[in-house]
Amino acid sequence: MTEAWRPGDDDERSRRGARASVKVRVPAKINLRLAVGPLRPDGYHEINTVYHAIALYDELTARRADTLILTMDGEGTGELALDDSNLVLRAARALAAHARVPAHARLHLRKQIPLAGGLAGGSADAAAALVACDELWGIGLSRDELAGLAAGLGSDVPFLLHGGTALGTGRGEAVSPVLARPTTWHWVVAVADGGLSTPQVYAELDRLRAVGAAPAPVGPADDLLAALRQRDPHVLAGALGNDLQPAAVSLRPALTRVLETGVAAGALAGLVSGSGPTCVFLAADGADAQTVADALTDAGVCRTVHLVHGAVAGARLV
Ligand code: C5P
């Protein structure tokens, strides 16, 4: 993995002081394994997941200003609210309140990660905002302090700071790195038309379980962690799994055809990413990934196809 947070980075950041303009790049995430436990009293489900950051990026530019403003281009423009409900602005305000500085910045988001796609695009943007504003305002918080703020913004935000491949527990916010030698995995990402609401997908899983219609849970990730260590995509393919997949497919039956198309074209495995509706396919190598991508495009079963690799670093200054 190339994503390690290096000791000394924090010191270097604080020495540099406030900057006039900064740019941060942040990846999307997929879940190689997502085991969902019961609903907790706080409305979240206990999960055990293996997060994996893929090379599909959003970019956030932050400039000095005397107010807080967000603009955007790319995926979701015209659909994504740019008001105070936006996770980028919530992240900037949370950091400013924590550091007791004015929340003043001109932020521009360039999006490639689809909205409500199960790729944690909103969480990625929140992670990018924390890193960008921390640098712009010369605050120099440690990764642990940033991760604390991140957890308050959303379950996936701490992982998007971290990147790489990591185990997520609790509601997903407790992140610890997976120790495996650096390996490049080849993925095809099939983006659907329209999104799925994460709370609705979790609720659908609860409903399917209540009526006895959910398949057996995927269970903890031990075999998946062993598969990562073997560095063989055929082995990894057999260990992928997502408890939310039957719920996403129940709400969006057309996903079955997407999954079948990718596997028929030679993918080693296909699965719904997080709460969907994006589907991801593991390929043996870059050439096979291209074949799978072409087949998905030709079949007209998705809106956009991306060829990406993982694992990549989390939110970083560029
Ligand atoms: O944490 P985040 O805001 O991303 O979660 C969005 C919603 O997804 C939650 O309000 C909850 O309905 C659902 N969720 C869950 N269990 C988790 C994570 C999210 O039920 N571990």
Side-chain angles (χ1 to χ4, degrees), residues 43-45 47 154-155 171 198-199 202:
Y44 286 89
H45 295 72
I47 66 170
S155 307
R171 61 183 167 88
T198 302
Y202 272 100

Side-chain angles (χ1 to χ4, degrees), residues 12 22 29 39 41 64 67 77 106 114 120 123 128 143 171 178 193 207 211 232 289 316:
E12 194 189 317
V22 299
K29 68 87 190 151
L39 180 62
R64 297 190 79 75
T67 180
T77 304
R106 190 147 50 87
S123 300
R143 276 277 133 162
R171 61 183 167 88
V178 165
D193 253 327
R207 189 191 70 78
V211 300
D232 178 343
R316 291 292 183 273

